[in-house]
Structure formats: structure tokens, C-alpha cells
Amino acid sequence: MNTSHLLASQTAALSARTCLPITWLGNGHLRIDSHTFATCECLPTSPTTILLTPYLPPAQALALRQRGINYLDTAGNAFIRATGLYLCIEGQTPVPASPTYPPPVGLRLLYHLLSEPQLLQAPYRTLGERAGVALGSVSTFFAELRQQGLVREEQNGRVLDTEGLLARWVQEYGQALRPQRYRWATPPGIRWRQLPMVTGAYWSGEPAARLLLQEKRSSPTSFTLYSPCLPDWGLIPDPVTGLVIILAPPFLLHKIASTSGLASPLLVYTDLLLSGRDVDQGLAQQIRNRYLAHLL
């Protein structure tokens, strides 16, 4: 069996094992979409198997190491444990990609396209005005989507691969974010809903999901907050395992708010997926089913 056939067969086997879409790029690399970490416990732990992926944020890399899964990303982070070999490289950050449109522009367009159902079939001008993007940038954006097979124009309207667009959004948004992780110096002496909030801050992740799903008696085990500054909660930096995550989004906070004090369902869903925690994956699916049904 030649190398190409061998890699193709290994790709098919891994895809069957994980039930996740895996693309063989033809150069020995595997690209697995953002849902990898929803079921990473299903990935093989053989010392001869290495997960190759574009970039692993620290929390997701830690989850893989704890499960004994070898990995290597394009930023240079690695964990390989085999007979007579132990390699662990952390802290490498990805080199920004160079798409044909500026990343903040593409992120804004993807965000509005996915979070507002009425924009799925809207004219370019309407989408551009809603996202605050020039008409020419919208045209360039859709030209790239057509080239990638994520959208096509037909007589009856626009046909979008919403699953593919959502996967692209999660990946690009995760790479654009710069989360800061903290832990409590001492456990707060009040309930989490009574924590003093910074003006212009919004809950996301597990706290927002609990509120959106009206789980009034459930208390989050991690806390994700979009905030223009660090809240006065007595926090200590903990960049790897900290369960209090402060995020600065790549566009204005008021553009991502939904109900009072909460980020939009699209961002709540995305942050849950990116957390790498098993408990968050079930919450993410519930948020998608209830608030993002137009993408199903």
C-alpha cells in the first residue's frame, strides 16, 4: 500500500472512531473540526497515533494530556509519549492567518449571518449595513465562501452550508480570542448571581447557559465573562487550569449582548464548545437546539 492510500485509510479509521469529520489535506496532516473536544475521550491513545490539528488552546491541550492523547499543532505545541520518548511543548501561539478579507471583518459577517436568521437570504448591502462592513468586503467574503463550497447562489435564493459555516466560525473565533484564566483567591462568600458586575460586562459559557436554559437551581463550576476590565472578585491568574475566564471579544461588547447581562446565544454556544469540558458540550447542544434552530 503506498503512502497516500495508507494515510487515507488511517483518516477513514479515525473518522469512524470519533464520528467526526476529518479532512486529509494530502500532505500527511489531519484537520479535525471544532467538535473534536466534545468527544476527545473517544480518540485513540496509542503511542503510535498523533492528533494533528491547527491550534490547541491551553485548556484543550491539558484535556488531551490528561487522557493520554498524543498531539501536535501547527503553532508548535506538542505532547508525545511513547517508548523511550517524552515530549511536551506548551505556550506556543499561532501565527495569524492571512485570509483575503481582514479577520475582524470576516468574524463580524459570520457572526451576524449565523445569529440573525433574517440575514441568511438578505442582500449583501443589508448584511454589510447590519455588520458595519463595506459592500466590497461583503462581496469578497462571499466569493471566498463560494470557492470553499460553503455557499452557492441559486434562482430560488442562497444555499448555505450552515454546519460548515458554524464550524468555521467556532475555529476562527477561538483563534481570535485571548482568554485570561483566573482562580478564586478564596471562594466568594455570596452566590454567583450576586457577584458585583463591571459595567458593560456579559455572562457567557456555563453561567449564561444555565440562565438561558432557566436552570435556576444549578450553580456553574466554571465562569466565563465578557468584560472590558478585570472584575473586583479577588482573582489570581491561573493560565492553564483557572475556571474563571475573562474574555475580550474582537468587536464591541454591546454588539454581542442578547438579554440583559448575557452574551448572545451564538457566543454562549461557541464558548461552551471551546471550553473543552465535557459538561459544557451537553449544554452547548441544548443552546443550539433551543436558540440556534435555524442552523440545524
mmCIF file of all heavy atoms in Angstrom, residues 135-159:
data_model
loop_
_atom_site.group_PDB
_atom_site.id
_atom_site.type_symbol
_atom_site.label_atom_id
_atom_site.label_comp_id
_atom_site.label_asym_id
_atom_site.label_seq_id
_atom_site.Cartn_x
_atom_site.Cartn_y
_atom_site.Cartn_z
ATOM 1 N N LEU A 135 -19.599 47.254 1.433
ATOM 2 C CA LEU A 135 -20.218 46.337 0.473
ATOM 3 C C LEU A 135 -19.164 45.514 -0.265
ATOM 4 O O LEU A 135 -19.352 44.312 -0.503
ATOM 5 C CB LEU A 135 -21.068 47.131 -0.527
ATOM 6 C CG LEU A 135 -21.801 46.320 -1.597
ATOM 7 C CD1 LEU A 135 -22.755 45.319 -0.956
ATOM 8 C CD2 LEU A 135 -22.563 47.258 -2.549
ATOM 9 N N GLY A 136 -18.049 46.133 -0.630
ATOM 10 C CA GLY A 136 -16.998 45.401 -1.334
ATOM 11 C C GLY A 136 -16.423 44.267 -0.494
ATOM 12 O O GLY A 136 -16.099 43.192 -1.016
ATOM 13 N N SER A 137 -16.313 44.484 0.820
ATOM 14 C CA SER A 137 -15.800 43.434 1.707
ATOM 15 C C SER A 137 -16.786 42.281 1.811
ATOM 16 O O SER A 137 -16.382 41.117 1.901
ATOM 17 C CB SER A 137 -15.533 44.005 3.103
ATOM 18 O OG SER A 137 -14.490 44.965 3.062
ATOM 19 N N VAL A 138 -18.094 42.592 1.768
ATOM 20 C CA VAL A 138 -19.098 41.531 1.799
ATOM 21 C C VAL A 138 -18.993 40.680 0.534
ATOM 22 O O VAL A 138 -19.062 39.450 0.586
ATOM 23 C CB VAL A 138 -20.519 42.116 1.941
ATOM 24 C CG1 VAL A 138 -21.563 40.999 1.959
ATOM 25 C CG2 VAL A 138 -20.638 42.958 3.197
ATOM 26 N N SER A 139 -18.824 41.335 -0.613
ATOM 27 C CA SER A 139 -18.687 40.603 -1.872
ATOM 28 C C SER A 139 -17.459 39.688 -1.847
ATOM 29 O O SER A 139 -17.514 38.532 -2.285
ATOM 30 C CB SER A 139 -18.592 41.587 -3.042
ATOM 31 O OG SER A 139 -19.771 42.367 -3.139
ATOM 32 N N THR A 140 -16.328 40.207 -1.338
ATOM 33 C CA THR A 140 -15.109 39.400 -1.240
ATOM 34 C C THR A 140 -15.311 38.221 -0.302
ATOM 35 O O THR A 140 -14.863 37.094 -0.572
ATOM 36 C CB THR A 140 -13.946 40.269 -0.744
ATOM 37 O OG1 THR A 140 -13.752 41.362 -1.642
ATOM 38 C CG2 THR A 140 -12.659 39.460 -0.643
ATOM 39 N N PHE A 141 -15.984 38.472 0.794
ATOM 40 C CA PHE A 141 -16.276 37.439 1.792
ATOM 41 C C PHE A 141 -17.081 36.303 1.166
ATOM 42 O O PHE A 141 -16.742 35.125 1.307
ATOM 43 C CB PHE A 141 -17.038 38.085 2.944
ATOM 44 C CG PHE A 141 -17.604 37.130 3.961
ATOM 45 C CD1 PHE A 141 -16.783 36.504 4.886
ATOM 46 C CD2 PHE A 141 -18.959 36.877 4.006
ATOM 47 C CE1 PHE A 141 -17.307 35.640 5.831
ATOM 48 C CE2 PHE A 141 -19.495 36.011 4.944
ATOM 49 C CZ PHE A 141 -18.667 35.395 5.860
ATOM 50 N N PHE A 142 -18.144 36.630 0.420
ATOM 51 C CA PHE A 142 -18.980 35.595 -0.176
ATOM 52 C C PHE A 142 -18.269 34.891 -1.331
ATOM 53 O O PHE A 142 -18.504 33.701 -1.573
ATOM 54 C CB PHE A 142 -20.312 36.184 -0.638
ATOM 55 C CG PHE A 142 -21.365 36.173 0.438
ATOM 56 C CD1 PHE A 142 -21.583 37.282 1.218
ATOM 57 C CD2 PHE A 142 -22.113 35.027 0.676
ATOM 58 C CE1 PHE A 142 -22.536 37.270 2.221
ATOM 59 C CE2 PHE A 142 -23.064 34.996 1.668
ATOM 60 C CZ PHE A 142 -23.288 36.122 2.453
ATOM 61 N N ALA A 143 -17.396 35.602 -2.025
ATOM 62 C CA ALA A 143 -16.620 34.954 -3.084
ATOM 63 C C ALA A 143 -15.748 33.850 -2.500
ATOM 64 O O ALA A 143 -15.614 32.762 -3.077
ATOM 65 C CB ALA A 143 -15.763 35.984 -3.820
ATOM 66 N N GLU A 144 -15.158 34.102 -1.338
ATOM 67 C CA GLU A 144 -14.335 33.089 -0.689
ATOM 68 C C GLU A 144 -15.189 31.928 -0.194
ATOM 69 O O GLU A 144 -14.794 30.758 -0.301
ATOM 70 C CB GLU A 144 -13.566 33.700 0.478
ATOM 71 C CG GLU A 144 -12.610 32.712 1.145
ATOM 72 C CD GLU A 144 -11.673 33.395 2.128
ATOM 73 O OE1 GLU A 144 -11.191 34.494 1.813
ATOM 74 O OE2 GLU A 144 -11.456 32.823 3.202
ATOM 75 N N LEU A 145 -16.382 32.231 0.343
ATOM 76 C CA LEU A 145 -17.277 31.165 0.792
ATOM 77 C C LEU A 145 -17.701 30.275 -0.378
ATOM 78 O O LEU A 145 -17.775 29.050 -0.243
ATOM 79 C CB LEU A 145 -18.509 31.752 1.475
ATOM 80 C CG LEU A 145 -18.300 32.502 2.795
ATOM 81 C CD1 LEU A 145 -19.645 32.925 3.373
ATOM 82 C CD2 LEU A 145 -17.525 31.670 3.795
ATOM 83 N N ARG A 146 -17.969 30.892 -1.534
ATOM 84 C CA ARG A 146 -18.343 30.091 -2.717
ATOM 85 C C ARG A 146 -17.191 29.204 -3.152
ATOM 86 O O ARG A 146 -17.384 28.036 -3.508
ATOM 87 C CB ARG A 146 -18.784 31.018 -3.862
ATOM 88 C CG ARG A 146 -20.155 31.644 -3.676
ATOM 89 C CD ARG A 146 -20.663 32.263 -4.974
ATOM 90 N NE ARG A 146 -19.815 33.363 -5.404
ATOM 91 C CZ ARG A 146 -19.994 34.630 -5.013
ATOM 92 N NH1 ARG A 146 -20.977 34.938 -4.179
ATOM 93 N NH2 ARG A 146 -19.204 35.581 -5.451
ATOM 94 N N GLN A 147 -15.984 29.754 -3.107
ATOM 95 C CA GLN A 147 -14.804 28.987 -3.512
ATOM 96 C C GLN A 147 -14.597 27.783 -2.594
ATOM 97 O O GLN A 147 -14.146 26.716 -3.028
ATOM 98 C CB GLN A 147 -13.570 29.888 -3.484
ATOM 99 C CG GLN A 147 -12.303 29.204 -3.991
ATOM 100 C CD GLN A 147 -11.110 30.155 -3.966
ATOM 101 O OE1 GLN A 147 -11.110 31.155 -3.264
ATOM 102 N NE2 GLN A 147 -10.096 29.841 -4.742
ATOM 103 N N GLN A 148 -14.960 27.917 -1.336
ATOM 104 C CA GLN A 148 -14.789 26.845 -0.364
ATOM 105 C C GLN A 148 -15.993 25.911 -0.303
ATOM 106 O O GLN A 148 -16.009 24.981 0.491
ATOM 107 C CB GLN A 148 -14.527 27.438 1.026
ATOM 108 C CG GLN A 148 -13.216 28.218 1.100
ATOM 109 C CD GLN A 148 -13.034 28.893 2.450
ATOM 110 O OE1 GLN A 148 -13.937 28.925 3.279
ATOM 111 N NE2 GLN A 148 -11.850 29.437 2.676
ATOM 112 N N GLY A 149 -17.004 26.174 -1.120
ATOM 113 C CA GLY A 149 -18.175 25.324 -1.159
ATOM 114 C C GLY A 149 -19.123 25.511 0.009
ATOM 115 O O GLY A 149 -19.977 24.652 0.262
ATOM 116 N N LEU A 150 -19.010 26.628 0.708
ATOM 117 C CA LEU A 150 -19.868 26.880 1.864
ATOM 118 C C LEU A 150 -21.142 27.629 1.497
ATOM 119 O O LEU A 150 -22.053 27.740 2.328
ATOM 120 C CB LEU A 150 -19.094 27.680 2.925
ATOM 121 C CG LEU A 150 -17.912 26.932 3.555
ATOM 122 C CD1 LEU A 150 -17.122 27.844 4.479
ATOM 123 C CD2 LEU A 150 -18.399 25.706 4.320
ATOM 124 N N VAL A 151 -21.216 28.145 0.279
ATOM 125 C CA VAL A 151 -22.410 28.852 -0.168
ATOM 126 C C VAL A 151 -22.481 28.782 -1.680
ATOM 127 O O VAL A 151 -21.457 28.736 -2.363
ATOM 128 C CB VAL A 151 -22.393 30.330 0.311
ATOM 129 C CG1 VAL A 151 -21.256 31.110 -0.330
ATOM 130 C CG2 VAL A 151 -23.720 31.009 0.030
ATOM 131 N N ARG A 152 -23.691 28.748 -2.192
ATOM 132 C CA ARG A 152 -23.897 28.861 -3.632
ATOM 133 C C ARG A 152 -25.184 29.631 -3.881
ATOM 134 O O ARG A 152 -26.117 29.610 -3.067
ATOM 135 C CB ARG A 152 -23.942 27.484 -4.301
ATOM 136 C CG ARG A 152 -25.138 26.615 -3.935
ATOM 137 C CD ARG A 152 -25.079 25.292 -4.703
ATOM 138 N NE ARG A 152 -26.287 24.501 -4.521
ATOM 139 C CZ ARG A 152 -26.493 23.649 -3.525
ATOM 140 N NH1 ARG A 152 -25.542 23.463 -2.612
ATOM 141 N NH2 ARG A 152 -27.624 22.972 -3.423
ATOM 142 N N GLU A 153 -25.189 30.341 -4.965
ATOM 143 C CA GLU A 153 -26.344 31.153 -5.327
ATOM 144 C C GLU A 153 -27.193 30.404 -6.351
ATOM 145 O O GLU A 153 -26.683 29.934 -7.362
ATOM 146 C CB GLU A 153 -25.898 32.507 -5.900
ATOM 147 C CG GLU A 153 -24.936 33.297 -5.017
ATOM 148 C CD GLU A 153 -25.623 33.926 -3.818
ATOM 149 O OE1 GLU A 153 -26.873 33.934 -3.783
ATOM 150 O OE2 GLU A 153 -24.906 34.408 -2.925
ATOM 151 N N GLU A 154 -28.490 30.272 -6.075
ATOM 152 C CA GLU A 154 -29.419 29.646 -6.996
ATOM 153 C C GLU A 154 -30.580 30.590 -7.277
ATOM 154 O O GLU A 154 -30.730 31.620 -6.600
ATOM 155 C CB GLU A 154 -29.937 28.320 -6.413
ATOM 156 C CG GLU A 154 -28.841 27.274 -6.234
ATOM 157 C CD GLU A 154 -29.384 25.920 -5.798
ATOM 158 O OE1 GLU A 154 -30.608 25.847 -5.487
ATOM 159 O OE2 GLU A 154 -28.604 24.947 -5.786
ATOM 160 N N GLN A 155 -31.408 30.244 -8.263
ATOM 161 C CA GLN A 155 -32.513 31.122 -8.635
ATOM 162 C C GLN A 155 -33.466 31.355 -7.470
ATOM 163 O O GLN A 155 -34.031 32.440 -7.327
ATOM 164 C CB GLN A 155 -33.283 30.528 -9.821
ATOM 165 C CG GLN A 155 -32.513 30.590 -11.152
ATOM 166 C CD GLN A 155 -33.355 30.091 -12.301
ATOM 167 O OE1 GLN A 155 -34.367 29.431 -12.098
ATOM 168 N NE2 GLN A 155 -32.941 30.421 -13.512
ATOM 169 N N ASN A 156 -33.655 30.336 -6.655
ATOM 170 C CA ASN A 156 -34.596 30.452 -5.546
ATOM 171 C C ASN A 156 -33.985 31.070 -4.295
ATOM 172 O O ASN A 156 -34.658 31.206 -3.276
ATOM 173 C CB ASN A 156 -35.165 29.069 -5.195
ATOM 174 C CG ASN A 156 -35.984 28.488 -6.327
ATOM 175 O OD1 ASN A 156 -36.591 29.219 -7.105
ATOM 176 N ND2 ASN A 156 -35.998 27.164 -6.430
ATOM 177 N N GLY A 157 -32.725 31.438 -4.357
ATOM 178 C CA GLY A 157 -32.092 32.061 -3.202
ATOM 179 C C GLY A 157 -30.719 31.499 -2.922
ATOM 180 O O GLY A 157 -30.143 30.745 -3.705
ATOM 181 N N ARG A 158 -30.210 31.851 -1.795
ATOM 182 C CA ARG A 158 -28.869 31.480 -1.389
ATOM 183 C C ARG A 158 -28.921 30.162 -0.613
ATOM 184 O O ARG A 158 -29.739 29.985 0.286
ATOM 185 C CB ARG A 158 -28.302 32.590 -0.515
ATOM 186 C CG ARG A 158 -26.853 32.466 -0.115
ATOM 187 C CD ARG A 158 -26.434 33.649 0.749
ATOM 188 N NE ARG A 158 -26.569 34.904 0.032
ATOM 189 C CZ ARG A 158 -26.989 36.036 0.573
ATOM 190 N NH1 ARG A 158 -27.350 36.075 1.842
ATOM 191 N NH2 ARG A 158 -27.074 37.130 -0.147
ATOM 192 N N VAL A 159 -28.038 29.246 -0.963
ATOM 193 C CA VAL A 159 -27.956 27.959 -0.264
ATOM 194 C C VAL A 159 -26.655 27.948 0.522
ATOM 195 O O VAL A 159 -25.575 28.051 -0.058
ATOM 196 C CB VAL A 159 -28.010 26.776 -1.251
ATOM 197 C CG1 VAL A 159 -27.883 25.456 -0.493
ATOM 198 C CG2 VAL A 159 -29.295 26.813 -2.061
#
